[in-house]
Amino acid sequence: MEFLNEVFSKIAEGHLNILLLLGLVLFGGTIGAKYFKKIKMPQVIAYLVLGIIVGESGFKILSSDFLVSFEPFNYFALGLISFALGGELDLGILKKHGKVLSWVLFLEAFGAFIFVGTGFFFLSSFVFGFNTALVIALLAGSISAATAAAGTTDVLWEYRAKGTMTTTLLGVIALDDVLALLLFAISSSAAFAILGLSANTLENIIKPVYEIGGASLLGWGAARVLSGQLKNYTEEERIFVFTMGMVILVLGISLILEVDMLMAATVMGFSLKNYAPRKTTVILKLLEKFAGPIYLLFFVFVGAKLTLSSMTPLMFLFIAAFLALRMGGKWVGTALGAKISGAPSKIGRYLPLCLFSQSGVAIGLSLIAAQRFPGEIGQTILVVVTTTVFIVQLIGPAFTKVAIEKAGEAGLNITEEDILAGSRVSDLVRPRPEVIYNDMPLSAILKVYAESDQNFWLVVDKEGKYRGVIGFENLRNALAEPELQNFILAEDILTPLSQHIEPELSLADAARKLRQANLDAIPILDKEGRALGVLEEREINQYVHKKLLEAQSKAEA
């Protein structure tokens, strides 16, 4: 192992340029995600594991200097995630679920604060003095209220989640950082008083209000300006470039004004969704297509920062306690909030599983705690929070996947393209396909036509071999010659289509083949040439429409 570490560290230091490193990370992350998908694990875990392997705790291919140089990129990735999160929040739906969201949001945040605060006070009392233990408990409790959006939303998008629980979850992860900031501000003021340190209490209260209020104002203003500009454009590429430019601009201004950049990006996405809903939908679809490599690099870099070498047994005890108490508090708080608000039982039962993740806000608050309370208090908070953030980033996506599957909300946020790509021609093959024999007279064919809901029929011979297709146009032409009707057989009027499809073909490919051949229907034959039926274009449309309605109905249940 040491030999490998030495080899890889030599490779990393100056022998690989940045482009080659990024290429390796993207390539390795994509391959890893492919294999994780085969074992039904979220792809984000593959990215984090790859980061651990090539980062500080692994082979050190990505050095700490390299990771620090990419901090602006991480801001950009988090900004995009926050913008997309805001864009997913629909004002009408939030109003509809406002009562549930309010209770769950408030109680899950305070549940974590109370559980972590109380547990850390008793645990710290065995190691530190009373005042120090109380301060550590207040700071750890307030930071525990925050929940990350990054890993959670990535899983929701990957598994196409939609429904009551998903909507509540998006609202919670977008807003509980606000509660965490306020709790931290109040806890910091109380901590200064407990330790007898001079502190400007008013400043500690006003600062988070400024950070949140300023960010909201900035995000709202940016959305107003952007929605006004987007009215002049219809090209998707220009709309996307304008939006990306505005996101970066908002992040940069947030850094200058020292307001919460993620809140600003979230409010921008939320406001734009309500000012220009159709164009926001287009932007989110384009973002989903093009932001994959950005998210991949971001999560690999997160994993690469994990350092296990500075851990002590005492720290492991604090870390385990923080994880268990935070999860217990969020679970109890969510269940209580769901019960009080009369929410569907799945919210109280499964939503807590989606609240494991923490990231930027939690780490940021732990850094502030380390600056304001240097020494054993700041060091304890910093090590516990930063380490648990890495752990929950690793396990959180897997729990989120389980939760949305248990709640029955995975695969409901689907489009027409998803249904076509995920379905086969065999899904539309009738168990007993209606066929017309080639020696059947016209009168018998007309009787079949009158009693059937099909527009096209396969024509087969006595051995069941495919001969051609008869549709309304064939019958209309035959009826145009009444003197010959008693002599016309199916063989005389069929269209001998040479093209056919097999049942294993995807509906997307079948629909494409119909369009390219300018056909309304096409025969379905198995590999031995046996006739299985006819696939009509209108049947594909009906099938897709039915699946969309089913998904919508399940999502609203």
Side-chain angles (χ1 to χ4, degrees):
M1 189 66 182
E2 289 181 2
F3 172 74
L4 287 174
N5 273 330
E6 186 179 347
V7 170
F8 281 112
S9 62
K10 284 181 178 177
I11 289 174
E13 290 174 3
H15 291 78
L16 295 179
N17 59 56
I18 290 178
L19 289 178
L20 184 55
L21 281 173
L22 292 179
L24 286 172
V25 168
L26 284 170
F27 185 76
T30 306
I31 295 292
K34 178 185 173 184
Y35 285 104
F36 268 64
K37 197 171 183 178
K38 283 187 176 179
I39 58 173
K40 299 183 177 180
M41 294 291 285
Q43 60 190 10
V44 63
I45 299 178
Y47 306 153
L48 291 166
V49 170
L50 176 64
I52 293 171
I53 292 171
V54 300
E56 294 291 307
S57 297
F59 295 116
K60 296 182 173 55
I61 295 175
L62 301 184
S63 65
S64 56
D65 290 340
F66 177 89
L67 295 170
V68 169
S69 68
F70 270 82
E71 276 304 309
F73 172 83
N74 292 336
Y75 290 154
F76 177 52
L78 282 170
L80 288 183
I81 291 169
S82 300
F83 171 78
L85 172 62
E88 296 284 351
L89 297 175
D90 186 279
L91 186 59
I93 294 176
L94 287 181
K95 284 180 179 176
K96 182 180 176 183
H97 301 287
K99 184 182 176 184
V100 174
L101 176 60
S102 302
W103 277 108
V104 170
L105 171 66
F106 183 79
L107 290 179
E108 62 86 22
F110 275 88
F113 174 73
I114 293 169
F115 270 57
V116 172
T118 306
F120 259 55
F121 174 71
F122 284 108
L123 188 60
S124 302
S125 298
F126 292 104
V127 185
F128 306 109
F130 179 84
N131 286 350
T132 301
L134 189 55
V135 169
I136 290 175
L138 286 170
L139 296 176
S142 61
I143 294 173
S144 72
T147 306
T152 307
T153 51
D154 192 83
V155 175
L156 295 180
W157 294 330
E158 182 183 355
Y159 290 94
R160 308 276 184 186
K162 185 178 181 181
T164 311
M165 192 192 79
T166 303
T167 301
T168 307
L169 173 61
L170 288 171
V172 167
I173 59 179
L175 298 174
D176 72 351
D177 284 351
V178 175
L179 287 177
L181 289 170
L182 291 173
L183 282 171
F184 184 79
I186 297 168
S187 298
S188 293
S189 297
F192 277 120
I194 292 167
L195 295 174
L197 302 172
S198 60
N200 189 333
T201 304
L202 187 60
E203 182 184 343
N204 283 327
I205 298 295
I206 290 176
K207 194 169 190 308
V209 173
Y210 163 76
E211 289 176 354
I212 296 166
S216 301
L217 199 59
L218 176 61
W220 171 78
R224 284 299 299 263
V225 173
L226 182 61
S227 62
Q229 287 297 316
L230 294 182
K231 287 178 183 174
N232 303 320
Y233 297 96
T234 55
E235 305 95 328
E236 291 186 352
E237 293 77 9
R238 284 182 180 271
I239 292 172
F240 188 66
V241 171
F242 258 119
T243 307
M244 292 302 99
M246 187 59 85
V247 170
I248 296 171
L249 199 60
V250 165
L251 297 177
I253 294 174
S254 298
L255 283 174
I256 293 172
L257 298 179
E258 296 185 350
V259 298
D260 188 333
M261 64 164 65
L262 303 186
M263 175 63 68
T266 303
V267 172
M268 179 185 162
F270 174 69
S271 303
L272 191 65
K273 169 81 173 181
N274 292 284
Y275 286 132
R278 291 185 179 177
K279 288 188 174 172
T280 305
T281 302
V282 171
I283 293 165
L284 293 181
K285 282 187 176 178
L286 291 171
L287 191 59
E288 189 178 334
K289 287 181 181 176
F290 295 109
I294 297 172
Y295 296 157
L296 189 159
L297 288 173
F298 168 73
F299 286 114
V300 170
F301 293 162
V302 169
K305 291 176 183 173
L306 176 63
T307 53
L308 298 172
S309 56
S310 60
M311 292 294 104
T312 63
L314 180 62
M315 280 300 165
F316 276 116
L317 181 62
F318 274 105
I319 290 165
F322 187 87
L323 288 170
L325 292 167
R326 178 174 175 271
M327 199 57 241
K330 287 201 174 279
W331 204 300
V332 171
T334 303
L336 193 59
K339 188 172 184 179
I340 293 173
S341 62
S345 60
K346 63 182 179 182
I347 290 182
R349 196 175 299 162
Y350 303 122
L351 191 137
L353 289 171
C354 306
L355 301 178
F356 269 118
S357 295
Q358 284 193 296
S359 62
V361 171
I363 290 178
L365 292 179
S366 69
L367 288 169
I368 294 172
Q371 287 174 345
R372 290 181 181 177
F373 305 95
E376 53 191 7
I377 295 175
Q379 185 64 20
T380 302
I381 294 295
L382 183 64
V383 173
V384 168
V385 172
T386 52
T387 307
T388 53
V389 162
F390 287 116
I391 295 172
V392 294
Q393 286 276 12
L394 202 59
I395 63 175
F399 281 99
T400 302
K401 172 181 176 282
V402 171
I404 58 174
E405 287 179 343
K406 290 283 185 185
E409 298 191 357
L412 299 183
N413 190 15
I414 50 177
T415 63
E416 181 178 332
E417 290 77 18
D418 296 327
I419 295 170
L420 289 172
S423 303
R424 303 280 169 193
V425 171
S426 56
D427 295 332
L428 272 71
V429 172
R430 301 182 184 217
R432 294 179 180 175
E434 292 182 85
V435 295
I436 292 175
Y437 290 98
N438 61 338
D439 58 353
M440 190 178 284
L442 181 60
S443 58
I445 299 172
L446 290 174
K447 187 177 179 185
V448 171
Y449 177 78
E451 295 175 352
S452 173
D453 62 344
Q454 291 183 216
N455 289 338
F456 294 87
W457 295 267
L458 277 182
V459 181
V460 299
D461 60 20
K462 288 183 178 177
E463 284 75 37
K465 290 185 178 177
Y466 167 71
R467 301 288 301 164
V469 174
I470 286 181
F472 177 75
E473 193 66 22
N474 304 86
L475 296 176
R476 192 169 68 85
N477 292 336
L479 292 171
E481 300 180 33
E483 67 281 0
L484 298 176
Q485 287 183 13
N486 293 331
F487 306 100
I488 292 176
L489 302 177
E491 185 73 29
D492 302 322
I493 61 173
L494 62 82
T495 301
L497 282 178
S498 59
Q499 299 187 66
H500 73 275
I501 54 176
E502 294 183 352
E504 295 79 16
L505 193 68
S506 74
L507 271 189
D509 289 336
R512 194 176 301 115
K513 197 164 185 177
L514 280 167
R515 284 197 301 272
Q516 289 172 347
N518 196 25
L519 295 172
D520 295 322
I522 191 167
I524 308 170
L525 307 180
D526 64 14
K527 290 181 179 175
E528 285 73 39
R530 288 190 294 266
L532 301 177
V534 176
L535 180 66
E536 299 180 32
E537 187 176 21
R538 70 177 181 91
E539 287 181 309
I540 297 177
N541 295 332
Q542 288 173 350
Y543 177 81
V544 170
H545 189 60
K546 180 185 170 188
K547 289 292 181 185
L548 287 174
L549 287 177
E550 285 177 358
Q552 184 68 24
S553 177
K554 286 181 182 176
E556 291 176 355

